[in-house]
Amino acid sequence: MEAISINKFKGNAMRNRCQWRKRLKGRGYRLTISREAIINALRSTDKHLSAEDIYLTLHSKYPEIGLTTIYRTLELLDQMGIISKFDFGDSRARYELSGDYGNKAHHHHLICTNCLKIIDYTDFIDDELELLNKTQKELSGKYNFDITGHLIRFYGLCDECKEEKNT
Amino acid sequence: MEAISINKFKGNAMRNRCQWRKRLKGRGYRLTISREAIINALRSTDKHLSAEDIYLTLHSKYPEIGLTTIYRTLELLDQMGIISKFDFGDSRARYELSGDYGNKAHHHHLICTNCLKIIDYTDFIDDELELLNKTQKELSGKYNFDITGHLIRFYGLCDECKEEKNT
DNA sequence: ATTTATAATGATAATCATTTTCATTGTATA
DNA sequence: TATACAATGAAAATGATTATCATTATAAAT
C-alpha cells in the first residue's frame, strides 16, 4: 500500500522531470539540478519571488547554487515563456510561473503602494477578457501591432496600511 | 498688434509660472529655474522621458543643472502626483505629466517588446472605465483595499519589428 | 537693501540589483 | 572513453539611482 503510493510519487516526479527535460531540450538546453530546483521553488509557492528570494530559499539544501545561476536560469525561463517577470516597484524583479505552467488561475495584481503587499485576484476575468479582445483587435489594426500580452493591475492602500494612516 | 501678442505670451508664461509656484509653495517647496525647466521639458513633449533624457535636453541651455537635481525634482513631482513614473522594461524610470497637468488625454500604453517603442492609445476608454469601476468596487470590498490607481498596457511587436522578423 | 532661516543644488561617493568575464566542471552523444 | 559544448561559480564590471556634505539661492522679516 505504502510502497504503491511512494512509487506513485516517484513516478510523478519522474514524469515531471522528463517533461521539463523535454521542454528544455527542445531549445538546446539541459535540465540540471539547479534548474530543476529553481523551477520547483517557483512551483511550490504562490508568492512572487525575487532572484535573491530563490537563492536564499535554496541555499540550505543546495549551497552550490550561486546567485548568478539563479539570474541566468530566470532569464532562460522568461525567454521560454515559462515564467513572467514583474516589477512591483521595489527595485528588483519578481517572478511567477506563467499561465500553463503554474498552479494559479489567470489573475492580475492588486498592489499596496505603502507596504508593497501583492494580492492576486481573479475577479471579472470574463468581462475583462471581452474588453481586452475588443481593445486588442482595434489596436492591432490601428497601429499594425501584433499584440502578445497585456498587463492589468490596481494600486492602493491595503487593509493594514489604511488603518496605520488613521493612527 | 505684435506687441499685444507678445504681451499675451508673456502674460501666459507669467500666469503659468505663478500657478506652479503656488502649487509648490502649498507644500513648502520653491519654484526654481531648474524645476521650471524640468516641468517645461515634460510639458513640451509627448515622449516618455528618462532622467537622463531630461538632463541631456536641458544641458545646452542650462549647463548648471545636474543629474542629481533632475532625480530630486522628478521624485518631488511624482510625490505631488504631478508626474507619473513608469517602468517600460529598459531598466530606467520614465516619466510623463499626469492627467490634469499634461496635455495628453487619458491614455494607456502599447509597448513593443522588441524595440521598446511606446504608443499612447486612447481607444475604449469608456468601456474600460466601466470595467475598471466594476472591478474596483468589487476588489475594494473583497480585500478592503482603498484603490487609488490602475495600470493597463498591451505588449507586442510593432509594425517595423514585425517585418524585421520576416526578413 | 541687509539679515536670517532654510530650501535647493552640484560634485562626489556610495548602493545595490543585475551582467559580464573567464576559467572550470558537467553531460549527452559518438 | 573521447569530444564538443552547455552550465556553472567567483569575482569584477556596469549602470541607474541615492546619500552625503559643503555651498549657494531664495523668501520673508527687519
Side-chain angles (χ1 to χ4, degrees):
Chain A
M1 195 52 169
E2 190 161 293
I4 289 174
S5 70
I6 284 174
N7 282 335
K8 243 201 227 161
F9 280 128
K10 271 196 185 162
N12 274 334
M14 208 56 92
R15 212 167 305 126
N16 235 319
R17 179 174 296 131
C18 285
Q19 281 184 348
W20 284 107
R21 192 183 297 278
K22 227 186 292 174
R23 277 177 198 139
L24 290 175
K25 199 166 174 182
R27 303 253 195 146
Y29 302 131
R30 295 171 182 169
L31 181 65
T32 61
I33 313 244
S34 306
R35 290 178 179 169
E36 196 178 356
I38 292 169
I39 290 169
N40 284 331
L42 286 161
R43 274 159 56 88
S44 57
T45 186
D46 58 353
K47 299 212 189 74
H48 309 81
L49 302 177
S50 67
E52 203 188 354
D53 287 341
I54 296 175
Y55 175 76
L56 293 174
T57 301
L58 298 181
H59 193 261
S60 50
K61 195 167 173 192
Y62 304 92
E64 335 79 54
I65 303 181
L67 234 194
T68 310
T69 297
I70 311 268
Y71 275 110
R72 275 190 288 231
T73 302
L74 289 172
E75 158 90 34
L76 187 87
L77 296 174
D78 189 25
Q79 296 292 315
M80 292 182 65
I82 288 169
I83 62 177
S84 305
K85 187 177 183 179
F86 293 100
D87 165 52
F88 292 119
D90 59 348
S91 64
R92 79 202 53 202
R94 295 187 171 276
Y95 302 83
E96 63 180 45
L97 284 170
S98 52
D100 306 330
Y101 304 94
N103 31 24
K104 296 195 219 170
H106 180 70
H107 66 275
H108 294 296
H109 300 120
L110 191 52
I111 303 163
C112 177
T113 49
N114 190 239
C115 70
L116 293 188
K117 184 189 303 160
I118 301 157
I119 293 181
D120 296 342
Y121 73 86
T122 55
D123 307 81
F124 296 118
I125 294 300
D126 288 344
D127 295 309
E128 183 192 296
L129 215 54
E130 197 184 327
L131 173 66
L132 288 180
N133 283 335
K134 217 161 110 182
T135 312
Q136 205 159 314
K137 195 189 281 180
E138 171 84 6
L139 292 183
S140 65
K142 192 163 173 181
Y143 300 106
N144 198 23
F145 241 77
D146 265 358
I147 295 185
T148 54
H150 63 262
L151 181 68
I152 297 184
R153 69 173 51 160
F154 286 92
Y155 291 100
L157 271 184
C158 76
D159 203 16
E160 290 143 27
C161 292
K162 223 185 341 186
E163 283 181 21
E164 257 178 48
K165 302 269 159 172
N166 294 332
T167 315
Chain B
M1 196 51 170
E2 191 162 295
I4 290 176
S5 71
I6 285 174
N7 281 336
K8 244 202 227 160
F9 281 128
K10 271 197 185 165
N12 274 333
M14 209 55 96
R15 213 168 303 125
N16 235 318
R17 178 173 297 131
C18 285
Q19 282 184 347
W20 285 107
R21 192 183 296 280
K22 229 187 290 174
R23 277 178 197 138
L24 290 174
K25 199 165 176 183
R27 303 254 195 144
Y29 302 130
R30 296 170 182 170
L31 181 66
T32 60
I33 313 241
S34 307
R35 289 178 180 169
E36 196 177 356
I38 293 169
I39 290 170
N40 284 331
L42 287 161
R43 273 159 57 88
S44 57
T45 186
D46 57 354
K47 298 210 189 77
H48 308 82
L49 302 177
S50 67
E52 203 188 354
D53 287 341
I54 297 175
Y55 175 76
L56 293 175
T57 301
L58 298 181
H59 194 260
S60 49
K61 195 166 173 193
Y62 304 92
E64 335 78 55
I65 303 181
L67 234 197
T68 311
T69 297
I70 312 268
Y71 275 109
R72 274 190 292 231
T73 302
L74 290 171
E75 158 90 35
L76 187 87
L77 296 174
D78 188 25
Q79 296 292 314
M80 293 182 65
I82 288 170
I83 61 178
S84 305
K85 188 177 182 178
F86 293 100
D87 166 52
F88 292 118
D90 58 350
S91 65
R92 77 201 55 199
R94 296 188 169 276
Y95 302 83
E96 63 179 48
L97 284 170
S98 52
D100 306 332
Y101 303 94
N103 31 25
K104 294 194 219 169
H106 180 69
H107 65 275
H108 293 296
H109 300 121
L110 189 53
I111 303 162
C112 177
T113 49
N114 189 240
C115 69
L116 292 189
K117 185 189 302 160
I118 300 158
I119 292 180
D120 296 341
Y121 73 86
T122 55
D123 308 80
F124 297 118
I125 294 299
D126 289 344
D127 295 312
E128 182 191 296
L129 214 56
E130 196 184 328
L131 173 67
L132 288 179
N133 283 334
K134 216 160 111 183
T135 312
Q136 204 158 314
K137 195 188 280 181
E138 170 85 5
L139 291 182
S140 66
K142 191 162 173 182
Y143 300 107
N144 199 24
F145 241 77
D146 267 358
I147 294 183
T148 54
H150 64 261
L151 182 67
I152 297 185
R153 72 174 48 160
F154 286 91
Y155 291 100
L157 271 186
C158 76
D159 203 14
E160 289 142 28
C161 292
K162 220 183 345 183
E163 284 181 20
E164 256 178 51
K165 301 269 161 173
N166 295 332
T167 314

